Amino acid sequence: METLKVKYINVNGTLLNLSTPCVMGILNITPDSFYAGSRMQTEMEIARRVEQISREGAGIIDIGAYSSRPDAEDVSAREEMERLRRGLAILRRIKPDAVVSVDTFRADVARMCVEEFGVAIINDIAAGEMDADMFRTVADLNVPYIMMHMQGTPQNMQKHPHYDNLLKEVFQYFARKVQQLRDLGVKDIILDPGFGFGKTVEHNYELLAHLEEFRIFELPLLAGVSRKSMIYRLLDITPQEALNGTTVLDTICLLKGADILRVHDVREAVETVRIVEAMKKESGKMEK
């Protein structure tokens, strides 16, 4: 298996080692996330979730205040900021040293989170498509940037997803975006193929089948499949019943070279990483 050449990302002046895959725990402070079990609203719920993510071994806490599920209602920048200020204040009180990423496509929201709360990473579902200032803002803030591929917007992405050549189009999309970011001086870029975002179930499994090919970019790769429709629609179950399927897909993603797993269920993902890494270690011994 081809190994990643870029093994570290710079988070708040400290190098985060990705030679062992990292688990990113989801902290949803939205009232309408697709997975009801992840919605955290009260101060007690948010505090409890922060403690749980940390206790179960996540390396990154990903906080989001804008639901990006299909057909989600739009939320104003002001409302998103208010939710994030409240959530980040609680998070920082409980875990002041946690590595935090913010799930937002808005440049001004990203800047506020970095400057006011020391958020280390920007996680943008739109790769700058929904805010023309995002790339320049990331360059100015000098923080790692996760950019995801999405066709359309959260409001329309699942209406009629269509590609003439899925892999070619996603690869060309990333090639163009990476060059734009490099030209602006952005150093740490992480790619997210965007499972479930403007893609049918078949599209998602086509991406999964070719996930290792994203190694051509020589950049860290994030996989976010947790409890998504590619699991529950295929198996005719609900998101609440999709943990087993999530673990199966996380395992496949790790075997195909994922460096970060973005998940609702941290403990299970951390265990998955440990098992796959143990197997890879023994495999490496045999090759020698």
Side-chain angles (χ1 to χ4, degrees):
M1 182 181 295
E2 190 176 347
T3 56
L4 179 66
K5 291 182 181 177
V6 180
K7 290 289 185 182
Y8 300 91
I9 56 172
N10 190 329
V11 291
N12 291 336
T14 301
L15 293 179
L16 179 64
N17 189 350
L18 294 178
S19 57
T20 297
C22 178
V23 173
M24 171 188 280
I26 298 169
L27 173 57
N28 270 331
I29 52 174
T30 61
D32 58 346
S33 173
F34 82 93
Y35 173 43
S38 72
R39 301 171 193 164
M40 302 295 149
Q41 293 293 285
T42 68
E43 183 170 347
M44 184 178 293
E45 286 174 340
I46 294 169
R48 192 177 296 144
R49 177 60 177 161
V50 169
E51 291 278 11
Q52 179 187 28
I53 291 172
S54 298
R55 183 177 67 252
E56 294 185 355
I60 304 169
I61 300 176
D62 189 50
I63 187 169
Y66 183 109
S67 177
S68 54
R69 65 175 174 79
D71 302 318
E73 286 188 18
D74 190 34
V75 174
S76 70
R78 180 179 176 181
E79 173 70 15
E80 186 182 3
M81 280 193 190
E82 286 178 0
R83 291 177 182 178
L84 284 168
R85 279 195 173 101
R86 180 168 168 266
L88 284 165
I90 298 166
L91 189 162
R92 283 303 186 208
R93 188 172 72 244
I94 297 167
K95 294 292 176 183
D97 298 325
V99 176
V100 181
S101 64
V102 60
D103 182 357
T104 186
F105 58 82
R106 290 177 168 130
D108 55 349
V109 173
R111 181 178 290 279
M112 180 276 290
C113 292
V114 173
E115 292 181 347
E116 293 184 21
F117 294 95
V119 164
I121 304 167
I122 296 168
N123 182 10
D124 181 6
I125 62 168
E129 291 287 327
M130 294 174 70
D131 190 331
D133 291 329
M134 181 59 95
F135 280 15
R136 286 192 298 273
T137 299
V138 172
D140 184 46
L141 293 170
N142 194 27
V143 292
Y145 180 61
I146 302 167
M147 65 169 171
M148 191 188 78
H149 175 273
M150 173 173 60
Q151 188 179 82
T153 68
Q155 287 71 40
N156 64 28
M157 64 184 180
Q158 292 304 109
K159 300 296 185 189
H160 302 286
H162 171 78
Y163 300 86
D164 293 324
N165 185 322
L166 173 67
L167 291 171
K168 182 180 178 182
E169 290 175 44
V170 175
F171 272 66
Q172 288 178 339
Y173 180 90
F174 280 143
R176 186 178 73 253
K177 297 280 185 181
V178 168
Q179 189 59 56
Q180 290 171 358
L181 288 163
R182 291 286 189 229
D183 289 345
L184 289 166
V186 178
K187 298 179 184 68
D188 292 310
I189 304 168
I190 298 148
L191 303 183
D192 177 354
F195 292 105
F197 284 80
K199 298 169 186 76
T200 63
V201 170
E202 292 75 18
H203 288 148
N204 288 319
Y205 282 97
E206 184 179 352
L207 272 180
L208 181 66
H210 295 272
L211 192 63
E212 69 276 12
E213 294 175 29
F214 285 89
R215 282 282 164 246
I216 194 171
F217 291 100
E218 297 183 355
L219 294 171
L221 186 62
L222 182 149
V225 296
S226 185
R227 297 181 180 265
K228 285 187 174 177
S229 61
M230 66 185 291
I231 302 166
Y232 64 77
R233 285 185 183 159
L234 181 74
L235 302 178
D236 194 25
I237 56 176
T238 66
Q240 286 69 31
E241 299 169 301
L243 175 56
N244 183 56
T246 296
T247 301
V248 173
L249 291 193
D250 279 343
T251 303
I252 294 170
C253 289
L254 290 171
L255 291 172
K256 285 178 169 285
D259 302 290
I260 301 172
L261 297 178
R262 183 179 183 273
V263 301
H264 298 94
D265 306 279
V266 173
R267 180 176 63 83
E268 290 81 355
V270 168
E271 289 176 354
T272 303
V273 169
R274 289 182 63 185
I275 290 169
V276 171
E277 286 298 294
M279 185 274 295
K280 284 184 182 178
K281 183 179 178 182
E282 295 306 315
S283 177
K285 288 180 184 177
M286 290 175 63
E287 288 174 4
K288 291 176 182 177

